[in-house]
Amino acid sequence: MKKKIMAFIRNLTWTYNPSTEREASDATARNFLLHWFPAKTTTKSMSFGYSLALGIIIFTQLTILTVTGLILMFLYVPSVERAYWSIKDLQFVVPYGWFIRDLHRIAAQLMVATVFIHLVRVFLTGAYKKSDKIAGSYRPLNWWIGLVLLLVTMILSYTGYLLPWDQLALWAITIGDHIALSAPVVGAAVSRVLIGGTIIDQNTLIRWYVAHVFLLPLLIFALLFWHMWRIRKDGGLAGVEALGIERIKQDRVVAKGKTYSLMGVVTGVTPTITQYRVRGASVSSSPYVTRRILMIFVLTTVVTMALAFMIKAPLEQPASLMWTPNPAKAPWYFLWLQELVADTTIRLKGFTISGGLVGGIMIPTVLLLFAAAWPLLDKSPDEAIGVWFHKSRRLQNTAFLLVCAVIVILIYVGAVMRGPYWHLYMPWQHWIKMPTRF
Ligand code: HEM
């Protein structure tokens, strides 16, 4: 009876149950969707405590965004006369249109936040560091691809912000445009490319729409496939490095990768994943990894849908250049930049360097360059690769967390403590709501 119940539950949850390892490997290699997984995966790579499954969560959010985005494309009209009203129709006329819009909006916000948290986890586990234990591996490359993914994710979200063509959208874009304008020499040219002229109008809407629904998604998927392929080339997640080091300590020979040449066109060295085939250290990717990914996918989808029911996407009055909301705020993930812009104007004896240049361009560029150079500057030992808070990395982890804390505090100040004319208010102080139309 117990066996029957177990079999019933298994059938409900996952029908595929290979009887041998060979059958499991074959299933991975033969299946179109599964063949990009290795036949075996180390349990360390699968450990939730190591990766927090953030990459899969981001992937799920991206899938939700793609599906809901496609549905929205059938209903949204990218014209300054129609855009706002097509969103209104979605909210109030189209059956469940509000839900598709809310789901798209919340998934986008969550994705920006999760990508950032994923970056933090990768840094704190030293997973971007180069090691020569695995032939063909070069982990810094995936960190750099990740940095571009972060930028593309933020720009994707920002371009979507304009599309409802309401006051929130128009003025958030105006803030970004003013920051671009403060760049020396190229500022005016960059702004013209961004908004397609000198004022935000139909030209801006159509170029941001094309970037949002086509160019940036194309780029993000291309980068994502490269990101995933690099993880395989690197021999799995960085957490497995410790297994290799352990084997070397035990004086066990670490196998060299085999060189290959496909018709002389592509040459290379296979990752020596075999070295980690320690008993109990790896399992068949199918069904163990696939089942786990499916679970995280379903869970993330359910949580995101529940949040979409609870949190309504904002829609203010139609965009108008005739009146400015006070205060006008950028989307939350750019509020730390807006706050820096407000705080960093330097005045020296009649000579002024604008906050737009210092806080909006110079500081983020320096941060980005530092982040990009870090894998080459980090001299911590190989033992620190793929280990949370390794003792040799205490100083750099602390400095990194401090920078993250400052960014989070600036976002909080921008979101909660800035009132009309960007004056500072304590959380318990109230400001008078400025009229929205004159
Ligand atoms: C669209 C955004 C991104 C997606 C969908 C994504 C996806 C993934 C996935 C699925 C993994 C496997 C492990 C895990 O789940 O954590 C991973 C690992 C990794 N990601 Fe990302 N990622 C993104 C952005 C980033 C960013 C912003 C960075 C850093 C700048 C980054 C750097 C890395 C690195 C270095 C690894 C290997 C980690 C290790 O070996 O432990 N990724 N990513």
Side-chain angles (χ1 to χ4, degrees):
M1 185 62 185
K2 195 178 161 206
K3 259 190 182 169
K4 273 193 177 160
I5 294 173
M6 289 312 288
F8 177 72
I9 293 174
R10 234 195 339 265
N11 279 350
L12 276 184
T13 52
W14 192 262
T15 47
Y16 174 63
N17 214 2
S19 48
T20 62
E21 282 204 352
R22 176 64 190 258
E23 192 192 324
S25 314
D26 275 0
T28 314
R30 287 203 189 125
N31 185 290
F32 171 68
L33 286 177
L34 299 187
H35 82 274
W36 62 324
F37 291 104
K40 294 217 133 204
T41 304
T42 55
T43 44
K44 186 75 201 180
S45 281
M46 288 170 58
S47 150
F48 180 77
Y50 172 68
S51 72
L52 308 179
L54 291 164
I56 313 292
I57 295 175
I58 304 170
F59 180 73
T60 312
Q61 289 158 348
L62 188 59
T63 311
I64 296 174
L65 284 165
T66 311
V67 174
T68 50
L70 272 172
I71 302 173
L72 290 175
M73 276 176 75
F74 284 106
L75 303 155
Y76 173 80
V77 187
S79 104
V80 292
E81 287 88 22
R82 299 279 308 281
Y84 180 80
W85 301 107
S86 60
I87 299 280
K88 272 263 179 211
D89 279 352
L90 258 167
Q91 288 290 124
F92 301 106
V93 182
V94 179
Y96 296 102
W98 59 271
F99 180 63
I100 300 294
R101 176 168 181 244
D102 289 354
L103 190 55
H104 194 74
R105 185 97 175 192
I106 195 74
Q109 312 279 328
L110 288 177
M111 182 169 160
V112 174
T114 322
V115 171
F116 184 69
I117 301 170
H118 175 58
L119 180 148
V120 173
R121 112 71 188 134
V122 168
F123 190 94
L124 295 178
T125 51
Y128 54 79
K129 274 170 60 64
K130 176 182 177 318
S131 99
D132 41 15
K133 301 268 160 346
I134 300 172
S137 150
Y138 189 68
R139 295 188 191 279
L141 184 50
N142 230 3
W143 171 259
W144 294 324
I145 298 170
L147 285 180
V148 184
L149 274 170
L150 173 72
L151 290 181
V152 177
T153 306
M154 288 171 83
I155 300 172
L156 198 51
S157 192
Y158 194 49
T159 46
Y161 217 77
L162 180 70
L163 303 185
W165 205 249
D166 65 346
Q167 279 295 73
L168 196 67
L170 179 74
W171 290 95
I173 298 337
T174 309
I175 295 165
D177 182 45
H178 281 189
I179 294 179
L181 274 171
S182 55
V185 192
V186 291
V190 172
S191 157
R192 245 195 313 279
V193 172
L194 281 181
I195 67 170
T198 47
I199 54 161
I200 299 176
D201 62 5
Q202 180 63 48
N203 281 352
T204 325
L205 182 59
I206 202 72
R207 63 181 62 191
W208 286 46
Y209 175 72
V210 173
H212 186 75
V213 303
F214 181 68
L215 297 178
L216 294 167
L218 199 69
L219 188 59
I220 210 164
F221 276 108
L223 287 167
L224 186 60
F225 289 131
W226 193 13
H227 199 53
M228 295 299 101
W229 180 69
R230 279 308 316 173
I231 292 175
R232 282 205 64 180
K233 286 287 283 178
D234 289 339
L237 295 189
V240 301
E241 293 273 344
L243 291 171
I245 292 171
E246 194 55 35
R247 292 213 95 187
I248 292 169
K249 272 194 197 143
Q250 289 167 5
D251 247 5
R252 314 260 285 270
V253 180
V254 175
K256 281 239 152 54
K258 289 182 195 152
T259 53
Y260 64 84
S261 162
L262 298 176
M263 301 169 77
V265 181
V266 184
T267 56
V269 184
T270 57
T272 53
I273 299 165
T274 44
Q275 62 181 302
Y276 303 124
R277 294 254 171 95
V278 186
R279 187 174 280 278
S282 62
V283 290
S284 304
S285 300
S286 167
Y288 296 101
V289 178
T290 43
R291 188 159 48 194
R292 190 162 292 198
I293 291 178
L294 193 67
M295 259 168 45
I296 296 166
F297 192 94
V298 171
L299 210 69
T300 310
T301 308
V302 170
V303 171
T304 315
M305 282 181 156
L307 287 173
F309 266 107
M310 290 186 277
I311 304 169
K312 298 282 137 239
L315 185 64
E316 295 194 356
Q317 286 165 340
S320 162
L321 284 168
M322 304 305 290
W323 61 276
T324 318
N326 189 1
K329 294 190 181 184
W332 64 266
Y333 43 87
F334 283 139
L335 273 180
W336 63 286
L337 286 181
Q338 194 177 355
E339 187 55 39
L340 279 176
V341 169
D343 300 333
T344 54
T345 299
I346 302 170
R347 287 192 183 86
L348 288 171
K349 290 186 188 149
F351 180 73
T352 307
I353 307 176
S354 81
L357 178 59
V358 180
I361 295 174
M362 280 160 58
I363 297 179
T365 308
V366 168
L367 281 180
L368 198 62
L369 289 178
F370 245 103
W374 201 251
L376 309 175
L377 302 175
D378 180 349
K379 297 289 176 238
S380 54
D382 282 1
E383 281 79 357
I385 304 178
V387 179
W388 275 98
F389 301 112
H390 193 271
K391 58 181 186 306
S392 64
R393 307 184 72 244
R394 241 174 237 157
L395 190 66
Q396 51 176 306
N397 280 346
T398 312
F400 174 77
L401 285 175
L402 272 177
V403 174
C404 295
V406 170
I407 291 178
V408 173
I409 291 169
L410 289 179
I411 290 177
Y412 178 80
V413 172
V416 178
M417 297 170 66
R418 289 297 187 177
Y421 306 104
W422 213 249
H423 288 165
L424 199 63
Y425 290 80
M426 289 297 123
W428 55 90
Q429 290 178 316
H430 292 285
W431 62 75
I432 300 162
K433 220 168 161 17
M434 300 301 275
T436 48
R437 266 221 201 275
F438 296 106

